Amino acid sequence: MISPDSVQLASVPVLDEDQIKLLETSAAGDRAFLKDLLDTFVYESQLRLKSLEEHLRTADKKTALQDIHFIAGSAASIGLNRFSFFCRKVEEQLRGGFSLSSELPGRAAAYHSEGVRTLRERWG
Amino acid sequence: MSNTILIADDDPVMIKLFEFNLGKAGYKTVACREGSSVLSSTLESHPDMVIFDLVLPGRSGLELIKDFRSHAKLAAMPIIVVTAQGRGSTKDALLAAGADCVFTKPFSPSLLLAKVEELLARQSREGGVL
């Protein structure tokens, strides 16, 4: 059973400052848009995290890979650096044929919450 | 008349980002989330350009490029592909298949807008698409 290294993850910043600044610049101070963007991410990513958990449970590797790839890309787009990094590691391990730790969905949810909470503190 | 751009991405966050940035620049947008509906949506909505993600449900970005380039009415359509896969080989394969430009996520909206403008200007000089 393999799981992304917590020590390595701790050194990865929670937010991707460059990406967040890009979003904030392109939003031109439109806080409502940024909040809406984050709400959309939260809704979709929670659906896909549930889907991932289910597909890992039923050993549907192909669909689990689609789930984790989607979540990692979406998280990177909104600047959730550590959560996206975690998901990319999971994706690599799934592609490598490793079986994943049963604790993985819980850890994914924790990194997701950490990122969303940090971004909400910034965007309201 | 403003140009219309079709966006295909399975991630609604990306769709909102595209709509916001392109809309602010004065473009109309049409969005779809399924790769399998991109070609039919294009034929229905007559966009001036398409932007799609490499990984889409139903039909991949690479397959879509080939669909467009071999279609009598859509062969000249400007195509931008966005991808989370930053490998040079992926980008090369997409450009070789006929993409006009490839952006690796995350990317700067201002760079995307500059490329959209450039491709539409080129399209306008060379004649329409549909």
Side-chain angles (χ1 to χ4, degrees):
Chain A
M1 293 286 183
I2 288 187
S3 155
D5 185 339
S6 299
V7 177
Q8 188 188 10
L9 276 158
S11 67
V12 177
V14 176
L15 299 183
D16 175 348
E17 279 299 325
D18 290 342
Q19 178 61 10
I20 302 282
K21 280 178 188 150
L22 271 179
L23 293 171
E24 289 172 346
T25 303
S26 67
D30 189 338
R31 308 289 291 186
F33 170 69
L34 292 171
K35 190 175 177 303
D36 180 43
L37 206 60
L38 181 55
D39 288 343
T40 303
F41 169 78
V42 170
Y43 177 77
E44 287 291 327
S45 55
Q46 281 177 340
L47 287 180
R48 293 303 280 256
L49 280 170
K50 277 184 195 153
S51 172
L52 173 68
E53 187 171 0
E54 176 63 15
H55 294 126
L56 287 175
R57 195 183 60 74
T58 58
D60 180 351
K61 185 183 159 186
K62 189 182 167 198
T63 317
L65 265 170
Q66 289 170 355
D67 289 329
I68 199 73
H69 181 83
F70 175 95
I71 299 165
S74 191
S77 298
I78 203 157
L80 298 194
N81 196 44
R82 185 181 289 166
F83 177 55
S84 178
F85 184 88
F86 174 83
C87 293
R88 290 279 179 237
K89 288 288 170 197
V90 172
E91 185 180 356
E92 280 171 25
Q93 291 174 4
L94 267 176
R95 284 193 197 283
F98 296 104
S99 59
L100 297 167
S101 160
S102 58
E103 294 172 359
L104 190 132
R107 291 187 63 203
Y111 284 119
H112 176 268
S113 298
E114 173 194 53
V116 169
R117 191 176 58 247
T118 309
L119 203 45
R120 277 212 196 286
E121 282 166 10
R122 183 161 171 156
W123 287 351
Chain B
M1 197 178 77
S2 62
N3 289 112
T4 300
I5 300 175
L6 184 136
I7 308 151
D9 201 304
D10 60 340
D11 183 357
V13 170
M14 286 305 296
I15 288 182
K16 279 185 187 247
L17 275 172
F18 280 125
E19 286 177 337
F20 183 81
N21 287 294
L22 293 168
K24 215 169 52 170
Y27 298 110
K28 288 180 189 165
T29 54
V30 177
C32 60
R33 293 184 65 178
E34 297 282 333
S36 49
S37 61
V38 170
L39 212 58
S40 57
S41 295
T42 302
L43 289 166
E44 276 168 29
S45 57
H46 306 287
D48 301 285
M49 171 186 285
V50 292
I51 300 175
F52 48 73
D53 189 20
L54 174 60
V55 180
L56 285 169
R59 197 136 186 87
S60 77
L62 194 56
E63 289 171 317
L64 285 171
I65 295 169
K66 291 173 184 170
D67 291 343
F68 274 81
R69 293 301 177 235
S70 61
H71 194 287
K73 289 183 176 173
L74 305 176
M77 176 72 71
I79 297 174
I80 293 177
V81 182
V82 294
T83 172
Q85 297 168 18
R87 288 193 299 271
S89 57
T90 304
K91 190 173 178 179
D92 291 346
L94 292 165
L95 292 171
D100 291 287
C101 183
V102 179
F103 280 90
T104 303
K105 293 181 195 175
F107 53 83
S108 153
S110 59
L111 289 180
L112 176 82
L113 285 172
K115 183 52 80 174
V116 165
E117 219 169 281
E118 178 196 320
L119 291 174
L120 287 173
R122 188 190 75 187
Q123 189 64 30
S124 171
R125 282 195 304 274
E126 294 172 0
V129 177
L130 287 171

